[in-house]
Amino acid sequence: AQSVTQPDIHITVSEGASLELRCNYSYGATPYLFWYVQSPGQGLQLLLKYFSGDTLVQGIKGFEAEFKRSQSSFNLRKPSVHWSDAAEYFCAVGANNNDMRFGAGTRLTVKP
Amino acid sequence: GAGVSQSPSNKVTEKGKDVELRCDPISGHTALYWYRQRLGQGLEFLIYFQGNSAPDKSGLPSDRFSAERTGESVSTLTIQRTQQEDSAVYLCASSLAAGGTDTQYFGPGTRLTVL
């Protein structure tokens, strides 16, 4: 079965600084990759997803992620972080079955 | 349109009691998932329903856990003889299509506390 690793449990960045959240996956075939965000008191919301095609995908709220097959990675980036981006971010990998696996999450704190 | 709803939003119970958690998926979504999220941890897959197919129960942690779904609508997750380790947020998600390839829409979760 597929698996996901998010190496960073907690990241703190200053408002306006750039952000990169790491995600590594393990799967034998081409994965379906997702990033979800869980804001305080709210449910999980999809930021972006990759199925095929262009390896750089754009999402909502100014986020993007790049699929790198050689590194088995799907890192999430944002050029300039806003205070409202403070949340928990989850990377997930799906397969051609009913199996979806989520990472443990990365908590983002934004300093003023 | 309405999103995924879950009830109750919070549940406090005593060890050994049974609890029932409810999920109302988005209308027309054929797939429904239950996840468990323990404090400070990621989402743990519990069970998956797809239409009238037999559910995938591979994630249920013990036989104290069970779930049902009526057609392509409401689902209930039942935990019998609750233990303190069952304390977590239980999340429900639905998706339009089958499989782990479609966007899942999550409910707000039910926070279960077992005393």
Side-chain angles (χ1 to χ4, degrees):
Chain A
Q2 62 271 39
S3 65
V4 179
T5 302
Q6 292 181 247
D8 305 304
I9 296 173
H10 186 202
I11 283 183
T12 300
V13 299
S14 298
E15 189 168 17
S18 63
L19 171 71
E20 182 168 28
L21 302 183
R22 295 184 291 165
C23 172
N24 293 98
Y25 68 90
S26 174
Y27 185 56
T30 300
Y32 299 84
L33 297 161
F34 305 79
W35 274 100
Y36 285 84
V37 60
Q38 187 176 35
S39 298
Q42 299 187 26
L44 277 89
Q45 180 183 23
L46 179 73
L47 280 176
L48 48 77
K49 60 186 177 184
Y50 170 80
F51 284 2
S52 65
D54 192 346
T55 56
L56 183 65
V57 293
Q58 304 296 321
I60 62 171
K61 305 184 181 185
F63 286 91
E64 66 177 26
E66 186 171 12
F67 169 56
K68 293 186 177 180
R69 184 187 299 276
S70 62
Q71 298 177 19
S72 298
S73 69
F74 189 57
N75 294 348
L76 182 71
R77 301 194 295 248
K78 185 168 184 178
S80 178
V81 169
H82 188 261
W83 64 267
S84 61
D85 293 326
E88 187 96 20
Y89 291 81
F90 293 94
C91 181
V93 56
N96 274 324
N97 52 29
N98 48 7
D99 208 353
M100 178 82 80
R101 299 297 172 98
F102 283 79
T106 298
R107 179 169 298 279
L108 174 66
T109 298
V110 180
K111 293 191 302 184
Chain B
V4 178
S5 61
Q6 292 185 245
S7 61
S9 56
N10 280 285
K11 177 71 177 179
V12 180
T13 189
E14 293 179 349
K15 178 181 173 182
K17 300 279 191 183
D18 297 352
V19 294
E20 212 172 74
L21 312 180
R22 177 187 169 107
C23 172
D24 285 86
I26 293 173
S27 177
H29 281 196
T30 61
L32 187 147
Y33 300 75
W34 281 98
Y35 296 91
R36 178 170 69 180
Q37 186 178 23
R38 287 191 168 122
L39 186 64
Q41 298 186 25
L43 277 69
E44 178 186 356
F45 167 77
L46 296 178
I47 189 169
Y48 163 79
F49 294 90
Q50 171 54 44
N52 294 318
S53 303
D56 177 354
K57 305 179 182 180
S58 61
L60 294 178
S62 77
D63 58 7
R64 295 187 295 105
F65 288 72
S66 62
E68 293 184 349
R69 187 181 186 192
T70 307
E72 293 186 352
S73 61
V74 173
S75 175
T76 55
L77 176 69
T78 301
I79 308 173
Q80 296 178 310
R81 306 181 302 281
T82 52
Q83 304 294 313
Q84 289 183 333
E85 72 234 30
D86 300 334
S87 296
V89 175
Y90 289 83
L91 292 166
C92 174
S94 69
S95 64
L96 187 60
T101 62
D102 199 14
T103 301
Q104 296 185 23
Y105 295 84
F106 284 81
T110 294
R111 182 176 299 278
L112 174 66
T113 303
V114 181
L115 301 177

